[in-house]
Amino acid sequence: MEDDVGFKAAVDEAKKGAEEGGVPIGACLVSEQGKILGQGHNMRIQKGSATLHAEISALESAGRLPASAYHGATMYTTLSPCDMCTGACVMYKVKRVVIGENKTFVGGEDYLKSRGIQVVVLDNIECKGLMATFIKEKPQDWNEDIGEP
């Protein structure tokens, strides 16, 4: 799955976020047919946003779609999704969430599973490295992003 177009796009988005000085988390929403619907990265720092996590950015990039567009879709994300992003995946009834890594942070994976959404964790070294560098350089920004004092 690390070769999937959606996962590659999510990693590229995470790198963009890092280059912009933001939290290096990327996401990509891919239809059941394999078409990228939307992709984005965490832009809370860049946009001064309270909610613009990577998965929300990918959904925003997809724009307004009919509910049928999400049927069978996969959300690729470089880090385990927080409760807000988990809720968005549940709300839009995505079929699967593919996670780059969940050692840095574990979000709503159990809730996704309880709602019938397939969860795949890749334990990707590159994703872990991006987060480790960011947390080392900007621990206060990381804590803010996950709602910690």
Side-chain angles (χ1 to χ4, degrees), residues 8-60:
K8 287 180 179 179
V11 172
D12 287 346
E13 287 289 339
K15 291 175 183 176
K16 283 182 195 173
E19 290 167 7
E20 295 169 359
V23 184
I25 303 170
C28 182
L29 181 66
V30 177
S31 74
E32 185 173 35
Q33 296 76 28
K35 177 185 176 203
I36 291 178
L37 300 174
Q39 62 190 67
H41 54 276
N42 185 308
M43 295 185 24
R44 289 188 67 251
I45 293 170
Q46 299 92 312
K47 300 268 184 171
S49 170
T51 60
L52 204 47
H53 282 189
E55 298 86 347
I56 303 302
S57 180
L59 288 165
E60 184 68 19

Side-chain angles (χ1 to χ4, degrees), residues 3-137:
D3 291 332
D4 286 1
V5 66
F7 185 68
K8 287 180 179 179
V11 172
D12 287 346
E13 287 289 339
K15 291 175 183 176
K16 283 182 195 173
E19 290 167 7
E20 295 169 359
V23 184
I25 303 170
C28 182
L29 181 66
V30 177
S31 74
E32 185 173 35
Q33 296 76 28
K35 177 185 176 203
I36 291 178
L37 300 174
Q39 62 190 67
H41 54 276
N42 185 308
M43 295 185 24
R44 289 188 67 251
I45 293 170
Q46 299 92 312
K47 300 268 184 171
S49 170
T51 60
L52 204 47
H53 282 189
E55 298 86 347
I56 303 302
S57 180
L59 288 165
E60 184 68 19
S61 166
R64 183 178 172 191
L65 298 172
S68 61
Y70 303 100
H71 179 77
T74 297
M75 177 66 80
Y76 292 87
T77 180
T78 59
L79 185 67
S80 185
C82 73
D83 289 340
M84 174 180 65
C85 297
T86 292
C89 290
V90 170
M91 185 173 112
Y92 288 108
K93 298 176 179 64
V94 300
K95 177 182 177 182
R96 180 173 61 163
V97 176
V98 176
I99 299 166
E101 69 105 342
N102 67 354
K103 301 295 186 239
T104 303
F105 176 83
V106 178
E109 294 174 33
D110 288 338
Y111 185 62
L112 289 167
K113 291 174 191 174
S114 77
R115 297 298 297 262
I117 296 171
Q118 179 187 8
V119 174
V120 178
V121 180
L122 301 177
D123 199 29
N124 180 273
I125 292 171
E126 187 172 19
C127 293
K128 287 191 248 184
L130 285 166
M131 290 307 302
T133 299
F134 179 78
I135 291 168
K136 181 180 177 185
E137 293 174 357

